[in-house]
Amino acid sequence: MLRPLLRPGYWCECWTRSPATGPRSVLLASIETDSPSEATSWVRITVRTIASALDRETAHEAWDWVTYGHKEAEDALTNGQAATFALTQQDTHIEWILRPVIYLPLAHRESQRLPACAEQFTCPTTHKIARHQPNSH
């Protein structure tokens, strides 16, 4: 029996911005899940982990989302909409972004042979060769 080629799921990301990262946000972590509850659970676990290090106001906001706000995020995901949750403490901003997606399976990661189309794309290797040649001194 053939499996469907496309499968629905959820893509979850955690981004941060602080003086250490400069003006741009940096991706801290990402995960794919199969259900809205798995997606929000990933955020809830992360938020519970950092909550004790947050100041009182930010910790209250974090626990409010962990206790109640995640339900609204699950509803949005179930309805095909993205959901976000963000915390800011002093000069550090953390944002979780959850999106419904459709996954297209790629070649098996442990496959011995690449698909035939992989041979159509070549990459210049002169810089790689020069970098890996033994030192002749």
Side-chain angles (χ1 to χ4, degrees):
M1 181 172 174
L2 293 175
R3 292 184 318 176
L5 189 56
L6 302 175
R7 75 173 173 83
Y10 301 87
W11 182 249
C12 312
E13 299 174 335
C14 179
W15 293 81
T16 188
R17 186 178 61 252
S18 71
T21 65
R24 302 180 80 186
S25 293
V26 174
L27 180 66
L28 288 179
S30 61
I31 187 173
E32 71 178 63
T33 68
D34 293 322
S35 71
S37 62
E38 288 176 352
T40 59
S41 179
W42 179 69
V43 178
R44 292 173 74 205
I45 290 167
T46 306
V47 171
R48 281 193 296 250
T49 302
I50 66 170
S52 63
L54 300 172
D55 61 42
R56 176 176 275 198
E57 184 179 327
T58 308
H60 179 73
E61 184 181 347
W63 282 111
D64 189 51
W65 193 90
V66 165
T67 307
Y68 306 106
H70 75 280
K71 295 173 187 173
E72 188 176 313
E74 282 182 31
D75 289 345
L77 292 170
T78 299
N79 292 322
Q81 300 168 355
T84 62
F85 175 62
L87 293 171
T88 301
Q89 178 169 297
Q90 296 175 355
D91 52 6
T92 300
H93 180 78
I94 304 172
E95 183 174 23
W96 292 266
I97 303 168
L98 313 173
R99 294 182 184 95
V101 295
I102 302 294
Y103 289 106
L104 173 64
L106 301 176
H108 193 280
R109 293 178 183 170
E110 295 178 18
S111 179
Q112 294 288 332
R113 291 182 43 101
L114 292 173
C117 64
E119 302 301 324
Q120 296 175 359
F121 303 98
T122 60
C123 178
T125 58
T126 54
H127 68 283
K128 292 179 186 175
I129 294 170
R131 186 175 53 203
H132 296 294
Q133 286 182 344
N135 195 349
S136 59
H137 296 224

